């Protein structure tokens, strides 16, 4: 037995090696595991949301004497990249010519001089989150998995959604999905923020509209969704009250989407065929709406919910290409020429949708959003995308205490909201 190192030198060497591994591990973690973002999301406290949130409870809003109906169609994973390059898309051939043509009839906002849309900011990148963004003017910052929230019976109880505002104005409201509304807590969100009638996969079975053992894609396919939607909208239009109808398609969901048996296979890509058929059917549905007697008093909003998560379809895209979410407002009560070069995010759709219904909003800001029909700058235009991303993504005690805490009450009864005389 030979002594190569005594205990003293061995301890020194081990201490040095430990320090090297520690520093290296932390450096790797910061770079590869985004530990700075984890720290910002769970430890650091940012005042950004508190400083920029405009509470609907404190804002004067004025509805027209003849209240307009609202139909909001969320199109799953619908991007402008599906258009041809000359229009601002990424395709050699425009995959959605019918939807492109329909856009000429309404207003669509873009960050460029071509087709474009909002930046997908923190807390808006999946279906539930996008609905929260556009309905409440808030990013979805929740202390658990994005689709596990709402099981306790509350969903951002301190927030004020479009559904809350319209409920207080006497609207009848329905939301429709081809899947289970319980996924992601959407049933909780819509029942606690507007007392919506929920029409989902289970409701379709309960009403015997589909067999009990029926199961296509996420529940039932969009071909059936549009037919059910026509019936429900017709029912709402005959109730003698203004109505708010919200729906979300699903056939274009990743991976690769669901291709209807009625679809033509014009392209080599399965997903391209899904997109082409889905958008064509959307336009057919909108054309039906436009022929109905209630349309003259109805604003129709069509938005993609978020950027597509399909990996295979986008694997060869140039990383520098800026993908944006589709948006269109038809039969708006107001108009603007300031639609191009607008840098905005999904939260800006919150006051913009209300404004498109003829609602006048004092200050043109609501939640974290800015009315795009106004001359006011959005947060991104004022502060820059990086600042907004950090502000939305960093932990906010104000957000947790004001919107998430179950001690908060979601009831909305703003006496400042009035009705204009004819």
């Amino acid at each position: 037995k030979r002594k190569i190192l005594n205990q003293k030198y061995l301890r020194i060497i081990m201490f040095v090696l430990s320090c090297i591994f520690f520093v290296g591990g932390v450096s790797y973690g910061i770079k590869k595991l985004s530990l700075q973002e984890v720290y910002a999301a769970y430890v650091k406290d940012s005042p950004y949301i508190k400083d920029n949130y405009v509470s609907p409870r404190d804002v004067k809003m004025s509805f027209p004497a003849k209240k307009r109906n609202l139909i909001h169609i969320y199109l799953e994973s619908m991007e402008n990249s599906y258009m041809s390059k000359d229009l601002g898309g990424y395709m050699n051939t425009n995959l959605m010519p019918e939807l492109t043509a329909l856009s000429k009839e309404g207003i669509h906002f873009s960050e460029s001089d071509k087709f474009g849309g909002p930046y997908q900011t923190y807390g808006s990148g999946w279906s539930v989150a996008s609905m929260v963004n556009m309905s409440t003017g808030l990013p979805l910052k929740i202390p658990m998995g994005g689709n596990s929230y709402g099981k306790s019976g509350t969903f951002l109880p301190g927030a004020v959604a479009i559904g809350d505002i319209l409920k207080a104005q006497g609207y009848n409201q329905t939301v429709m999905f081809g899947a289970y509304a319980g996924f992601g807590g959407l049933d909780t969100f819509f029942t606690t923020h507007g007392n919506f009638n929920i029409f989902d996969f289970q409701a379709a079975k309960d009403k015997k509209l589909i067999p009990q053992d029926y199961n296509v894609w996420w529940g039932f396919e969009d071909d059936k969704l549009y037919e059910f939607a026509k019936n429900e909208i017709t029912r709402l239009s005959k109730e003698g009250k203004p109505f708010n109808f919200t729906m979300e398609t699903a056939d274009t969901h990743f991976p690769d989407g669901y291709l209807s048996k009625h679809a033509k296979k014009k392209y080599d890509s399965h997903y391209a065929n899904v997109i082409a058929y889905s958008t064509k059917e959307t336009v057919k549905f909108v054309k039906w709406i436009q022929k109905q007697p209630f349309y003259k008093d109805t604003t129709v909003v069509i938005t993609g919910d978020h950027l597509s998560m399909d990996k295979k379809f986008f694997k060869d895209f140039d990383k520098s290409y800026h993908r944006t979410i589709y948006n269109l407002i038809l039969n708006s009560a107001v108009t603007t020429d300031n639609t191009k070069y607008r840098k905005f995010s999904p939260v800006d759709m919150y006051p913009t949708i209300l404004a498109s219904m003829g609602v006048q909003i004092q200050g043109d800001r609501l939640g974290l959003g800015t009315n795009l029909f106004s001359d006011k700058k959005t947060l991104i235009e004022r502060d820059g995308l990086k600042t907004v991303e950090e502000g939305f993504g960093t932990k906010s005690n104000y957000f947790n205490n004001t919107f998430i805490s179950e001690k908060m009450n979601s009831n909305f009864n703003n006496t400042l909201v009035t009705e204009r005389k004819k």
Side-chain angles (χ1 to χ4, degrees):
K1 294 180 180 180
R2 292 182 179 176
K3 182 185 289 187
I4 298 174
L5 288 172
N6 62 35
Q7 290 294 323
K8 178 181 179 182
Y9 290 119
L10 182 61
R11 291 192 188 97
I12 293 173
I13 292 172
M14 292 305 293
F15 176 76
V16 172
L17 287 174
S18 297
C19 290
I20 292 172
F21 280 120
F22 175 76
V23 172
V26 170
S27 299
Y28 177 86
I30 290 173
K31 183 177 181 181
K32 297 293 184 180
L33 305 180
S34 302
L35 292 184
Q36 287 177 314
E37 295 179 16
V38 173
Y39 173 81
Y42 293 99
V43 181
K44 188 178 178 181
D45 179 36
S46 168
Y48 191 80
I49 291 178
K50 179 181 179 180
D51 292 345
N52 291 287
Y53 182 76
V54 177
S55 175
R57 303 178 193 277
D58 304 324
V59 173
K60 289 183 179 179
M61 285 180 272
S62 174
F63 276 74
K66 174 67 174 176
K67 296 184 178 72
R68 296 176 67 82
N69 308 310
L70 172 64
I71 297 176
H72 191 164
I73 306 169
Y74 287 93
L75 300 179
E76 172 64 48
S77 306
M78 196 53 58
E79 305 188 12
N80 295 300
S81 64
Y82 306 147
M83 296 183 187
S84 53
K85 293 177 180 177
D86 60 303
L87 296 171
Y90 199 81
M91 303 293 116
N92 292 323
T93 302
N94 186 2
L95 300 182
M96 46 187 199
E98 296 86 2
L99 197 55
T100 305
L102 183 67
S103 300
K104 297 177 182 178
E105 299 181 25
I107 297 168
H108 52 92
F109 296 94
S110 175
E111 87 297 351
S112 69
D113 63 340
K114 298 181 179 181
F115 275 93
Y119 290 84
Q120 183 168 286
T121 44
Y122 181 92
S124 69
W126 66 101
S127 297
V128 180
S130 70
M131 289 185 171
V132 169
N133 274 241
M134 296 188 211
S135 296
T136 69
L138 289 166
L140 187 52
K141 295 162 58 72
I142 48 179
M144 59 182 68
N147 289 317
S148 302
Y149 185 55
K151 302 298 183 184
S152 67
T154 63
F155 199 118
L156 299 183
V160 175
I162 288 177
D164 295 310
I165 297 171
L166 298 188
K167 176 189 173 185
Q169 291 295 307
Y171 278 66
N172 285 335
Q173 307 190 92
T174 292
V175 62
M176 183 176 287
F177 311 95
Y180 284 113
F183 181 77
L186 283 172
D187 54 349
T188 304
F189 176 67
F190 282 103
T191 52
T192 59
H193 290 286
N195 194 28
F196 281 72
N197 169 41
I198 306 290
F199 189 113
D200 66 349
F201 182 37
Q202 185 60 51
K205 290 194 289 186
D206 292 343
K207 295 175 184 293
K208 295 182 170 43
L209 296 173
I210 55 176
Q212 290 297 312
D213 60 351
Y214 195 86
N215 190 16
V216 173
W217 197 228
W218 287 82
F220 60 80
E221 67 276 33
D222 290 347
D223 285 343
K224 284 184 169 52
L225 180 73
Y226 285 127
E227 291 307 310
F228 298 157
K230 290 176 183 178
N231 293 333
E232 179 61 13
I233 292 173
T234 300
R235 183 190 71 80
L236 287 169
S237 70
K238 295 178 179 179
E239 290 292 302
K241 292 183 178 181
F243 68 85
N244 172 22
F245 177 82
T246 299
M247 63 179 285
E248 182 177 30
T249 64
D251 284 1
T252 45
H253 200 287
F254 83 101
D256 298 335
Y258 170 79
L259 187 62
S260 167
K261 63 183 179 181
H262 304 297
K264 294 180 180 179
K265 298 179 180 179
K266 298 190 296 183
Y267 306 102
D268 294 334
S269 165
H270 174 85
Y271 199 47
N273 287 317
V274 172
I275 293 164
Y277 178 78
S278 178
T279 52
K280 182 178 180 180
E281 292 303 298
T282 299
V283 174
K284 285 173 61 177
F285 176 63
V286 172
K287 291 297 183 183
W288 173 86
I289 293 172
Q290 292 176 322
K291 293 177 181 178
Q292 305 310 305
F294 58 77
Y295 179 66
K296 66 182 189 307
D297 299 314
T298 302
T299 295
V300 178
V301 178
I302 307 171
T303 58
D305 55 355
H306 53 75
L307 298 177
S308 174
M309 301 178 191
D310 199 273
K311 300 297 183 184
K312 184 168 64 174
F313 189 76
F314 298 92
K315 64 182 177 65
D316 295 326
F317 269 46
D318 185 338
K319 300 297 182 183
S320 65
Y321 174 74
H322 179 213
R323 294 163 58 191
T324 56
I325 305 162
Y326 180 82
N327 72 96
L328 174 64
I329 301 176
L330 296 168
N331 201 26
S332 172
V334 292
T335 188
T336 179
D337 294 325
N338 188 23
T339 61
K340 302 299 183 184
Y341 299 106
R342 297 303 309 269
K343 294 183 178 181
F344 64 107
S345 69
V347 298
D348 294 304
M349 294 304 296
Y350 179 37
T352 302
I353 290 171
L354 287 169
S356 73
M357 298 171 65
V359 180
Q360 293 179 355
I361 304 167
Q362 184 183 42
D364 288 308
R365 293 205 61 244
L366 215 56
L368 294 170
T370 300
N371 175 14
L372 295 173
F373 287 101
S374 73
D375 296 329
K376 288 280 195 310
K377 288 186 176 181
T378 67
L379 293 182
I380 295 179
E381 289 171 335
R382 190 195 71 188
D383 301 335
L385 179 61
K386 183 179 179 181
T387 298
V388 170
E389 284 282 64
E390 290 177 354
F392 284 10
T394 303
K395 179 187 175 185
S396 168
N397 289 328
Y398 172 79
F399 185 95
N400 295 337
N401 296 332
T402 305
F403 306 115
I404 293 181
S405 174
E406 296 190 3
K407 296 178 182 178
M408 303 304 295
N409 193 322
S410 61
N411 290 335
F412 175 77
N413 186 19
N414 186 353
T415 57
L416 298 176
V417 180
T418 59
E419 182 179 291
R420 296 194 299 277
K421 295 181 180 180
K422 291 183 180 180

Short mmCIF file of all heavy atoms in Angstrom, two decimals, residues 41 74 94 105 115 126 141 156 179 208 210 244 263 271 283 296 304 325 341 350 384 400 411-412:
data_model
loop_
_atom_site.label_atom_id
_atom_site.label_comp_id
_atom_site.label_asym_id
_atom_site.label_seq_id
_atom_site.Cartn_x
_atom_site.Cartn_y
_atom_site.Cartn_z
N ALA A 41 -40.45 33.38 -13.24
CA ALA A 41 -41.84 32.92 -13.18
C ALA A 41 -42.29 32.56 -11.77
O ALA A 41 -43.48 32.68 -11.45
CB ALA A 41 -42.02 31.73 -14.12
N TYR A 74 -63.37 30.76 -33.11
CA TYR A 74 -61.95 30.44 -32.93
C TYR A 74 -61.59 29.30 -33.86
O TYR A 74 -62.17 28.21 -33.78
CB TYR A 74 -61.68 30.01 -31.49
CG TYR A 74 -61.71 31.11 -30.45
CD1 TYR A 74 -62.88 31.41 -29.75
CD2 TYR A 74 -60.56 31.85 -30.16
CE1 TYR A 74 -62.91 32.40 -28.79
CE2 TYR A 74 -60.59 32.85 -29.20
CZ TYR A 74 -61.76 33.12 -28.52
OH TYR A 74 -61.78 34.11 -27.56
N ASN A 94 -51.62 29.43 -52.16
CA ASN A 94 -52.48 29.84 -51.04
C ASN A 94 -53.40 28.68 -50.67
O ASN A 94 -54.24 28.24 -51.47
CB ASN A 94 -53.31 31.06 -51.45
CG ASN A 94 -54.12 31.63 -50.30
OD1 ASN A 94 -54.05 31.15 -49.17
ND2 ASN A 94 -54.90 32.66 -50.59
N GLU A 105 -63.85 41.65 -47.06
CA GLU A 105 -65.14 42.18 -46.64
C GLU A 105 -65.10 42.79 -45.24
O GLU A 105 -66.10 43.38 -44.81
CB GLU A 105 -66.19 41.06 -46.67
CG GLU A 105 -66.41 40.44 -48.04
CD GLU A 105 -67.48 39.37 -48.01
OE1 GLU A 105 -68.35 39.41 -47.11
OE2 GLU A 105 -67.46 38.48 -48.89
N PHE A 115 -50.79 40.33 -45.00
CA PHE A 115 -51.55 39.63 -43.98
C PHE A 115 -50.64 39.32 -42.79
O PHE A 115 -49.52 38.84 -42.95
CB PHE A 115 -52.13 38.33 -44.54
CG PHE A 115 -53.44 38.52 -45.24
CD1 PHE A 115 -53.47 38.73 -46.61
CD2 PHE A 115 -54.63 38.52 -44.54
CE1 PHE A 115 -54.67 38.91 -47.27
CE2 PHE A 115 -55.84 38.70 -45.19
CZ PHE A 115 -55.86 38.91 -46.56
N TRP A 126 -51.80 28.24 -26.25
CA TRP A 126 -52.64 27.05 -26.40
C TRP A 126 -54.10 27.51 -26.35
O TRP A 126 -54.39 28.66 -26.01
CB TRP A 126 -52.31 25.98 -25.38
CG TRP A 126 -52.60 26.28 -23.93
CD1 TRP A 126 -53.67 25.85 -23.21
CD2 TRP A 126 -51.81 27.06 -23.02
NE1 TRP A 126 -53.59 26.31 -21.92
CE2 TRP A 126 -52.47 27.05 -21.77
CE3 TRP A 126 -50.60 27.77 -23.15
CZ2 TRP A 126 -51.97 27.73 -20.66
CZ3 TRP A 126 -50.11 28.45 -22.05
CH2 TRP A 126 -50.79 28.42 -20.82
N LYS A 141 -51.61 32.91 -16.61
CA LYS A 141 -50.49 32.59 -15.72
C LYS A 141 -51.08 31.82 -14.54
O LYS A 141 -51.68 32.40 -13.65
CB LYS A 141 -49.83 33.86 -15.20
CG LYS A 141 -49.16 34.70 -16.27
CD LYS A 141 -48.91 36.12 -15.80
CE LYS A 141 -48.06 36.23 -14.56
NZ LYS A 141 -46.64 35.92 -14.81
N LEU A 156 -59.82 31.97 -12.68
CA LEU A 156 -59.51 33.40 -12.62
C LEU A 156 -60.71 34.18 -12.07
O LEU A 156 -61.28 35.05 -12.76
CB LEU A 156 -59.13 33.94 -14.00
CG LEU A 156 -57.90 33.34 -14.67
CD1 LEU A 156 -57.62 34.03 -16.00
CD2 LEU A 156 -56.66 33.44 -13.78
N ALA A 179 -65.33 18.88 -28.64
CA ALA A 179 -64.68 18.04 -27.64
C ALA A 179 -65.39 18.23 -26.30
O ALA A 179 -66.41 18.90 -26.22
CB ALA A 179 -63.20 18.41 -27.53
N LYS A 208 -78.96 13.49 -28.04
CA LYS A 208 -79.15 12.43 -29.04
C LYS A 208 -78.90 12.92 -30.46
O LYS A 208 -79.52 12.45 -31.43
CB LYS A 208 -80.54 11.82 -28.91
CG LYS A 208 -80.77 11.09 -27.60
CD LYS A 208 -82.15 10.46 -27.53
CE LYS A 208 -82.31 9.53 -26.34
NZ LYS A 208 -81.77 10.00 -25.08
N ILE A 210 -75.81 12.72 -31.67
CA ILE A 210 -74.85 11.72 -32.12
C ILE A 210 -75.04 10.48 -31.25
O ILE A 210 -75.54 10.57 -30.13
CB ILE A 210 -73.39 12.23 -32.00
CG1 ILE A 210 -73.09 12.69 -30.58
CG2 ILE A 210 -73.11 13.35 -33.00
CD1 ILE A 210 -71.64 13.11 -30.36
N ASN A 244 -74.58 36.19 -27.64
CA ASN A 244 -73.14 36.03 -27.82
C ASN A 244 -72.89 34.54 -28.03
O ASN A 244 -73.12 33.73 -27.13
CB ASN A 244 -72.39 36.53 -26.58
CG ASN A 244 -70.90 36.21 -26.63
OD1 ASN A 244 -70.34 35.99 -27.70
ND2 ASN A 244 -70.26 36.19 -25.48
N ALA A 263 -63.60 15.94 -48.01
CA ALA A 263 -62.53 16.81 -48.47
C ALA A 263 -61.85 16.26 -49.72
O ALA A 263 -61.69 15.05 -49.88
CB ALA A 263 -61.50 16.99 -47.36
N TYR A 271 -51.83 17.58 -43.93
CA TYR A 271 -52.20 18.76 -43.15
C TYR A 271 -52.64 19.90 -44.06
O TYR A 271 -53.57 20.65 -43.74
CB TYR A 271 -51.02 19.19 -42.28
CG TYR A 271 -51.39 20.09 -41.11
CD1 TYR A 271 -52.47 19.79 -40.28
CD2 TYR A 271 -50.64 21.23 -40.81
CE1 TYR A 271 -52.80 20.60 -39.20
CE2 TYR A 271 -50.95 22.05 -39.74
CZ TYR A 271 -52.03 21.73 -38.94
OH TYR A 271 -52.36 22.54 -37.87
N VAL A 283 -65.76 29.48 -44.30
CA VAL A 283 -66.33 30.53 -45.12
C VAL A 283 -67.77 30.19 -45.50
O VAL A 283 -68.65 31.07 -45.50
CB VAL A 283 -65.46 30.77 -46.38
CG1 VAL A 283 -66.14 31.76 -47.32
CG2 VAL A 283 -64.09 31.29 -45.97
N LYS A 296 -77.55 41.77 -39.79
CA LYS A 296 -77.37 43.23 -39.85
C LYS A 296 -77.03 43.82 -38.49
O LYS A 296 -76.43 44.90 -38.39
CB LYS A 296 -78.62 43.90 -40.42
CG LYS A 296 -79.87 43.80 -39.55
CD LYS A 296 -81.06 44.45 -40.22
CE LYS A 296 -82.27 44.57 -39.30
NZ LYS A 296 -82.68 43.32 -38.67
N GLY A 304 -57.63 32.90 -35.36
CA GLY A 304 -56.93 31.69 -35.00
C GLY A 304 -56.76 31.71 -33.49
O GLY A 304 -56.70 32.78 -32.88
N ILE A 325 -50.93 34.91 -36.17
CA ILE A 325 -52.25 34.32 -36.00
C ILE A 325 -53.27 35.09 -36.85
O ILE A 325 -53.26 36.32 -36.90
CB ILE A 325 -52.66 34.36 -34.52
CG1 ILE A 325 -51.59 33.67 -33.66
CG2 ILE A 325 -54.02 33.70 -34.29
CD1 ILE A 325 -51.67 34.01 -32.18
N TYR A 341 -49.10 47.60 -39.89
CA TYR A 341 -47.95 47.90 -39.01
C TYR A 341 -48.40 48.12 -37.56
O TYR A 341 -47.89 48.98 -36.86
CB TYR A 341 -47.18 49.12 -39.52
CG TYR A 341 -46.60 48.93 -40.91
CD1 TYR A 341 -47.17 49.57 -42.01
CD2 TYR A 341 -45.51 48.09 -41.11
CE1 TYR A 341 -46.66 49.38 -43.29
CE2 TYR A 341 -45.00 47.90 -42.39
CZ TYR A 341 -45.57 48.55 -43.47
OH TYR A 341 -45.06 48.36 -44.73
N TYR A 350 -59.35 41.95 -26.66
CA TYR A 350 -60.38 42.13 -25.63
C TYR A 350 -61.17 43.44 -25.83
O TYR A 350 -62.38 43.41 -26.11
CB TYR A 350 -59.71 42.05 -24.26
CG TYR A 350 -60.59 42.23 -23.05
CD1 TYR A 350 -61.88 41.75 -22.98
CD2 TYR A 350 -60.09 42.89 -21.92
CE1 TYR A 350 -62.66 41.91 -21.84
CE2 TYR A 350 -60.85 43.04 -20.77
CZ TYR A 350 -62.14 42.55 -20.74
OH TYR A 350 -62.90 42.70 -19.61
N GLY A 384 -42.22 47.70 -26.44
CA GLY A 384 -41.42 46.70 -27.16
C GLY A 384 -41.80 45.29 -26.75
O GLY A 384 -42.23 45.04 -25.61
N ASN A 400 -51.56 37.08 -8.98
CA ASN A 400 -52.00 35.96 -8.14
C ASN A 400 -53.07 36.37 -7.15
O ASN A 400 -54.07 35.66 -6.96
CB ASN A 400 -50.80 35.37 -7.40
CG ASN A 400 -49.78 34.74 -8.34
OD1 ASN A 400 -50.11 34.36 -9.47
ND2 ASN A 400 -48.54 34.63 -7.89
N ASN A 411 -68.26 38.10 -9.92
CA ASN A 411 -69.46 38.86 -10.28
C ASN A 411 -69.08 40.24 -10.81
O ASN A 411 -68.22 40.92 -10.26
CB ASN A 411 -70.40 39.01 -9.09
CG ASN A 411 -71.05 37.70 -8.70
OD1 ASN A 411 -71.20 36.81 -9.53
ND2 ASN A 411 -71.44 37.57 -7.44
N PHE A 412 -69.73 40.63 -11.90
CA PHE A 412 -69.46 41.93 -12.50
C PHE A 412 -70.75 42.74 -12.53
O PHE A 412 -71.74 42.32 -13.13
CB PHE A 412 -68.92 41.77 -13.92
CG PHE A 412 -68.72 43.07 -14.64
CD1 PHE A 412 -67.63 43.88 -14.36
CD2 PHE A 412 -69.63 43.49 -15.60
CE1 PHE A 412 -67.45 45.09 -15.03
CE2 PHE A 412 -69.44 44.69 -16.28
CZ PHE A 412 -68.35 45.49 -15.99
#
